[in-house]
Amino acid sequence: MTLRRALVTGATGYIGGRLVPKLLEAGFTVRVLVRTPSKLRDVPWADQVEVVQGDLGDLASVQGACADIDVLYYLVHSMGAAGDFEKTEHVAAENVAQAASAAHVARIVYLGGLHPDTDTLSTHLRSRMEVGRILLDSGVPTIAFQAGVVIGSGSTSFEMIRHLTDVLPYMPAPKWVRNKIQPIAVRDVLYYLQAAADLPDEVNRTFDIGGPDVLRYGQMMNGYALEAGLKQRAIAALPVLTPWLASQWVNLVTPIPRNLAIPIIASLQYDCVVHENDIDQFIPQPAGGLTGYRRAVRLALGRMRNGDVETSWRNSSIEGASSNPLPSDPDWAGHAVYTDLREKTTPADPAALWRVIESIGGENGWYSFPLAWAVRGLMDKAVGGVGLRRGRRNRDHLHTGEVLDFWRVEQIDHGSFLRLRAEMRVPGRAWLEMSVTPTDDGGSLYRQRAVFFPRGLGGRLYWAAILPFHGIIFEGMATRITATAAAEREAEAEHPLGTVSRSDDA
């Protein structure tokens, strides 16, 4: 391999977060360009890469990141963004093309989407195709891969298939469930991305990539059902379900928020299959061949069972959600702010209490009034929010920037402090903090604080409306967290080699 210095854009995303360790293993020196470096603080490879803060919309930051780079991976897209995301993607691609050319980057590798040869593409696919065209015309040798449905633990497409199949024993579906799809395993996508760095300079073109199976979407759902040990689902294709109505349906019964469901479903209006296999002339297939759909599903389910999901769609930024950190207390002067503070002591030592705190949410629950949390999640989904069912990547451990149901981890000091930033639809900005302090008797002090910055009159009325429920939800949460930690600590003392399980309704 002759190219050794790589710049990865989109390193906090699903594909980029998995590609970086592959490049490191292959001997690359890796630089990543990210808007929020704190999101990478807890990833296992954080101290092995150079992190540059910047935005593809800012030419100067892209130019600085491209210095001394051999191969640039363009793995950023604005799917689900509000406003004129086509213009946003166009500007970003133009900036990368200009900066890469000026810096004499030897190769650009881009991952776009499979699309039919038609003038009626969805906005999402049209924008992805335009980004590829800009990069191919940059003067820098470019490989523009065009992939369809990517199957892997945590991928948006896999999660949509999984939740639709898990939830619905019978599915009234749009007619696109009969369209042909050529899915590709995420491991094969990563294989092609890495291998593209070695292609000769004269190769400047698109390549379609897909797995060995061509299936209808309904067959993909039932293939998942078989691998998950479920009965095959009855699927009825209804011509009355428009893409917009279908996206509302997906938003309701899956964790995929509406702003992501709409472009995905719009892309499924067409057959999504490869039109050429020219890549085989330049990059040999991986040892053992490309991964079939059923095996890709089996591998994804295995990773989920083992809590070994490297990256997930859940951790993508949510358009419209606050991205600003909680201001320090002195900055609150002159602003309306509401807080709810709860403190509890427990005989559990700090380590035992922290284990309960760090494992909160997802399948473990929120330790108080489950119905209230579920209703709040449904209300959020109804207005196009993310809802409560995004879950968490790992059952027991959290990293900075990760999603936790309708929260995002803004700050985590392992063993002592967790701050979550709300991404549900609220008329203002909200945070939830949980912390652990050792006490002199060997126990712990649990401190829980909710903070809300209201926006206008609506924000103030919102806080007043939910205030009566705080005594139930937040007080119950603090009480059960400390009690659970104490019970687990006591159980561990009695059975030091055993495993302590939490109640299902926690």
Side-chain angles (χ1 to χ4, degrees):
M1 184 174 292
T2 58
L3 302 177
R4 289 295 179 184
R5 293 166 296 188
L7 171 64
V8 178
T9 66
T12 59
Y14 181 73
I15 296 293
R18 296 188 180 212
L19 179 64
V20 168
K22 297 287 186 185
L23 295 176
L24 291 170
E25 290 175 10
F28 280 89
T29 298
V30 178
R31 178 184 297 157
V32 298
L33 176 65
V34 294
R35 286 182 294 182
T36 311
S38 61
K39 287 186 177 182
L40 298 177
R41 190 183 74 170
D42 296 317
V43 299
W45 41 264
D47 60 351
Q48 301 175 57
V49 302
E50 178 189 354
V51 180
V52 175
Q53 184 172 13
D55 191 306
L56 295 187
D58 175 31
L59 178 59
S61 63
V62 180
Q63 289 172 329
C66 285
D68 301 320
I69 289 298
D70 296 309
V71 57
L72 185 155
Y73 286 94
Y74 193 108
L75 304 174
V76 173
H77 64 79
S78 301
M79 185 173 68
D84 190 351
F85 79 86
E86 280 190 279
K87 180 178 179 181
T88 299
E89 292 199 326
H90 183 94
V91 170
E94 289 283 5
N95 286 345
V96 168
Q98 180 179 336
S101 178
H104 303 291
V105 172
R107 164 72 64 199
I108 295 175
V109 182
Y110 169 62
L111 180 63
L114 279 175
H115 55 81
D117 186 13
T118 175
D119 294 330
T120 59
L121 290 175
S122 69
T123 305
H124 165 60
L125 284 179
R126 186 173 64 240
S127 180
R128 301 296 293 274
M129 188 172 66
E130 174 66 7
V131 168
R133 183 196 64 76
I134 292 170
L135 299 177
L136 287 165
D137 291 345
S138 65
V140 177
T142 295
I143 300 298
F145 287 121
Q146 299 179 153
V149 171
V150 177
I151 301 299
S153 56
S155 75
T156 311
S157 297
F158 174 72
E159 289 295 301
M160 193 166 91
I161 292 168
R162 180 169 77 91
H163 284 276
L164 285 173
T165 310
D166 284 349
V167 172
L168 302 172
Y170 169 82
M171 182 178 173
K175 59 184 180 181
W176 50 255
V177 296
R178 295 174 176 167
N179 289 351
K180 293 180 180 179
I181 309 289
Q182 192 164 355
I184 183 169
V186 65
R187 57 172 49 201
D188 294 334
V189 173
L190 297 172
Y191 168 80
Y192 282 126
L193 289 172
Q194 181 180 329
D198 282 336
L199 291 181
D201 292 348
E202 61 269 18
V203 182
N204 183 74
R205 55 164 293 180
T206 63
F207 286 104
D208 290 357
I209 55 173
D213 301 318
V214 176
L215 306 166
R216 300 188 188 278
Y217 199 85
Q219 292 176 310
M220 291 172 62
M221 292 178 63
N222 278 320
Y224 167 85
L226 291 173
E227 291 298 330
L230 304 172
K231 292 182 179 180
Q232 294 198 52
R233 289 353 193 185
I235 301 172
L238 304 179
V240 296
L241 279 180
T242 65
W244 186 87
L245 285 173
S247 67
Q248 310 310 307
W249 179 242
V250 169
N251 174 68
L252 179 65
V253 300
T254 81
I256 310 298
R258 186 183 302 158
N259 62 341
L260 284 180
I262 289 174
I264 292 173
I265 289 173
S267 301
L268 294 173
Q269 305 308 305
Y270 321 95
D271 286 342
C272 190
V273 297
V274 302
H275 300 289
E276 45 82 8
N277 294 290
D278 295 352
I279 190 63
D280 291 341
Q281 302 172 29
F282 296 88
I283 299 175
Q285 292 189 2
L290 295 169
T291 308
Y293 173 71
R294 291 274 298 272
R295 181 165 181 259
V297 169
R298 196 178 314 133
L299 290 168
L301 290 172
R303 279 188 172 272
M304 291 173 59
R305 282 191 294 268
N306 296 332
D308 188 26
V309 180
E310 291 178 79
T311 58
S312 171
W313 72 270
R314 297 175 176 89
N315 293 332
S316 59
S317 297
I318 298 299
E319 186 69 26
S322 172
S323 60
N324 298 319
L326 177 64
S328 60
D329 288 6
D331 294 336
W332 292 359
H335 296 274
V337 60
Y338 300 116
T339 63
D340 183 285
L341 179 63
R342 311 279 167 168
E343 292 185 343
K344 298 282 183 182
T345 57
T346 174
D349 59 61
L353 178 57
W354 177 254
R355 283 196 297 273
V356 178
I357 292 173
E358 191 177 5
S359 62
I360 199 167
E363 295 178 358
N364 297 325
W366 290 87
Y367 294 93
S368 69
F369 205 178
L371 179 60
W373 288 96
V375 169
R376 183 64 182 88
L378 288 173
M379 291 171 59
D380 196 53
K381 292 288 280 185
V383 295
V386 296
L388 190 67
R389 289 186 295 156
R390 285 191 297 179
R392 49 183 294 154
R393 182 187 60 85
N394 184 283
R395 181 180 173 89
D396 300 310
H397 303 291
L398 293 172
H399 291 164
T400 303
E402 283 193 332
V403 156
L404 179 57
D405 292 327
F406 46 44
W407 306 89
R408 187 178 296 273
V409 180
E410 181 175 286
Q411 179 181 340
I412 182 168
D413 301 323
H414 290 279
S416 62
F417 181 79
L418 174 64
R419 177 186 293 146
L420 306 175
R421 183 179 69 246
E423 291 192 337
M424 76 283 276
R425 298 292 180 91
V426 292
R429 299 158 58 200
W431 293 265
L432 179 63
E433 296 177 338
M434 290 165 274
S435 64
V436 179
T437 304
T439 55
D440 294 338
D441 60 0
S444 307
L445 171 67
Y446 172 73
R447 189 171 187 266
Q448 174 183 295
R449 183 174 71 154
V451 180
F452 182 64
F453 281 62
R455 183 174 60 248
L457 177 61
R460 288 159 174 79
L461 293 176
Y462 171 81
W463 182 264
I466 64 173
L467 191 60
F469 298 99
H470 284 186
I472 301 173
I473 296 174
F474 286 140
E475 180 65 21
M477 183 175 167
T479 299
R480 290 202 65 187
I481 285 176
T482 51
T484 300
E488 291 190 4
R489 185 69 185 89
E490 182 179 343
E492 287 177 356
E494 294 177 358
H495 307 285
L497 298 180
T499 301
V500 181
S501 300
R502 299 186 180 89
S503 61
D504 292 337
D505 62 346

